[in-house]
Amino acid sequence: DTAVSQTPKYLVTQMGNDKSIKCEQNLGHDTMYWYKQDSKKFLKIMFSYNNKELIINETVPNRFSPKSPDKAHLNLHINSLELGDSAVYFCASGIATNEKLFFGSGTQLSVL
Amino acid sequence: RKEVEQDPGPFNVPEGATVAFNCTYSNSASQSFFWYRQDCRKEPKLLMSVYSSGNEDGRFTAQLNRASQYISLLIRDSKLSDSATYLCVVKRWGSQGNLIFGKGTKLSVKP
């Protein structure tokens, strides 16, 4: 069983479209994250949710909206996609008291 | 200045070589330290935590110098399967799970 699964693995879309990436974890963790890895390979945190509550919201355009329907899911919705949004987006989960993160396999987003 | 800085490499070494990676961090309020490994087109995975007293896991040794704000990773007897990018990661005090990643050092082990 995959511990942290995100879909889709690849997402190719036109500028201006709205898209969503889904993430689910079956590890029983209470905290989930979205990270972005750009073409320069820097991995930067975007959002963090603990028990469905937003606890970290880094400087991210408000076109990006995370949604956590329950502890096991954290989806990322992106409105009005721009060329600069092209990157690999990683979902991750962990326990708030433990710093080890488990990452999903990533979603390669390409905006044309 | 980036909060976590690493030599990007690549480090090209023969099998069996010993290789060392260095990392510096700028925020003295950093609390915890880690090395993650990321294979090409894959997700990052925790390799090991880094403790002040230094710690070893098989062929891997991690060291931390808080005074110099410096972290290192030593890989002995390198294997082909060690080829990957090694990410230096720090966590700030009080920041719940907010890990700051370095850009990574790429290692290529050749036969």
Side-chain angles (χ1 to χ4, degrees), chain B residues 44-64:
Chain B
K45 292 183 180 177
L46 178 67
L47 179 66
M48 59 196 302
S49 301
V50 187
Y51 304 118
S52 295
S53 54
N55 50 297
E56 192 173 303
D57 183 1
R59 297 181 293 108
F60 299 83
T61 301
Q63 298 276 357
L64 166 65

Side-chain angles (χ1 to χ4, degrees), chain A residues 13 15-17 19 63 78-82 85 109 111:
Chain A
T13 188
M15 273 175 56
N17 284 350
K19 290 293 178 186
R63 299 181 293 104
I78 315 169
N79 288 330
S80 304
L81 278 155
E82 300 177 358
D85 297 332
L109 171 64
V111 182

Side-chain angles (χ1 to χ4, degrees), chain A residues 1-71:
Chain A
D1 276 346
T2 305
V4 182
S5 58
Q6 53 182 111
T7 55
K9 190 166 176 63
Y10 300 98
L11 185 52
V12 181
T13 188
Q14 300 282 342
M15 273 175 56
N17 284 350
D18 303 338
K19 290 293 178 186
S20 292
I21 307 172
K22 295 187 175 182
C23 180
E24 175 181 4
Q25 54 95 3
N26 62 6
L27 297 166
H29 291 161
D30 57 6
T31 309
M32 294 184 72
Y33 309 82
W34 278 107
Y35 279 82
K36 177 181 178 180
Q37 190 169 41
D38 60 24
S39 58
K40 295 182 179 169
K41 304 300 182 188
F42 259 116
L43 197 62
K44 290 190 67 174
I45 191 165
M46 301 173 69
F47 301 102
S48 169
Y49 270 72
N50 178 262
N51 286 317
K52 301 196 300 173
E53 286 193 32
L54 180 67
I55 54 170
I56 294 174
N57 183 351
E58 291 294 303
T59 308
V60 174
N62 58 15
R63 299 181 293 104
F64 290 79
S65 52
K67 285 189 173 47
S68 181
D70 55 59
K71 263 185 6 176

